[in-house]
Amino acid sequence: MAKKVAVLLSGCGVYDGSEIYEAVLTLLRLDQSGAEYQCIAPNDEMMHVINHATGEEMSESRNMLVEAARLARGNVQDLAEAKQESFDALILPGGFGAAKNLCDFAVKGSEMSVRPDVLSFVRSFHQAEKPVGLMCIAPVMMPVIFGKGVKCTIGTDPDVADEIRTMGGDHQDRGVDDVCIDPVNKLVSTPAYMLATGMHEASKGIFTLVDEILSMIKK
């Protein structure tokens, strides 16, 4: 039986949703590895909408689930209906949506909170001893979700690393092609586009993260 992985998205687009290349590279590696995947997103409004051509905020609202459907070719599940029991592992791509929509780190820094439905869903994998992978900026949520002392990386940004340490996380500097593994908690993180200058660079760490997550699944 194929391993099945949930991929939690936060919209579509690096500045206000999920980072598209990170999401696609994750899905590509899962497919190459013979794993099944299901994209999931909260059915709620995004924090704001950014014009990706200009970088300016737009006077409109968009829905995370609807936008995530662009990445998933329509096959996206409402987070409210998703059950941890249906999956073997969970992966969270980055993009500013992870820091704006799944939590409020972009606004509150180390005083952040995670959306209750996201917190409950991600934490349920940890409680079931199932592996979880997070990339780019998404690992800022790890101390809040998994507890103090959790090992993680967002790369080498000293300011973000300090915020993670303030929240009780054990941040480890890693290169774009590397991952940070917390074997006790079955967690894997990688910098991805926190450091990557192109897809080829980003793919190295992302592919390794996916491989490590799949290797941790009990079958």
Side-chain angles (χ1 to χ4, degrees), residues 73-201:
R73 295 176 63 88
N75 183 18
V76 62
Q77 185 178 22
D78 187 337
L79 177 59
E81 300 173 357
K83 304 297 182 184
Q84 167 266 124
E85 293 81 3
S86 301
F87 305 100
D88 300 304
L90 171 65
I91 297 177
L92 286 73
F96 279 108
K100 293 177 176 179
N101 303 329
L102 303 186
C103 71
D104 54 12
F105 178 82
V107 176
K108 296 184 178 180
S110 60
E111 299 298 317
M112 61 163 277
S113 60
V114 178
R115 278 180 60 101
D117 53 354
V118 172
L119 179 65
S120 176
F121 185 66
V122 180
R123 195 173 271 172
S124 70
F125 281 81
H126 186 240
Q127 293 169 339
E129 299 185 349
K130 295 179 179 180
V132 180
L134 304 94
M135 61 190 69
C136 191
I137 195 66
V140 298
M141 294 184 279
M142 292 174 69
V144 176
I145 297 173
F146 305 113
K148 293 183 178 181
V150 64
K151 291 181 173 61
C152 61
T153 189
I154 48 80
T156 57
D157 186 302
D159 294 331
V160 179
D162 283 346
E163 297 277 15
I164 289 173
R165 294 186 181 106
T166 297
M167 291 185 282
D170 181 6
H171 182 271
Q172 309 280 315
D173 283 357
R174 291 290 189 275
V176 67
D177 59 348
D178 203 358
V179 298
C180 176
I181 300 174
D182 185 331
V184 174
N185 291 298
K186 294 187 177 180
L187 303 173
V188 186
S189 50
T190 191
Y193 271 94
M194 288 293 286
L195 291 176
T197 59
M199 279 193 286
H200 177 66
E201 281 190 349

Side-chain angles (χ1 to χ4, degrees), residues 199-210:
M199 279 193 286
H200 177 66
E201 281 190 349
S203 70
K204 296 177 182 178
I206 292 172
F207 283 8
T208 301
L209 180 147
V210 172

Side-chain angles (χ1 to χ4, degrees), residues 15-16 46 48-53 55-58 62 100:
Y15 299 128
D16 55 16
M46 295 158 49
H48 60 192
V49 179
I50 299 295
N51 181 328
H52 280 60
E56 298 177 353
E57 187 171 350
M58 301 174 67
R62 295 187 185 181
K100 293 177 176 179

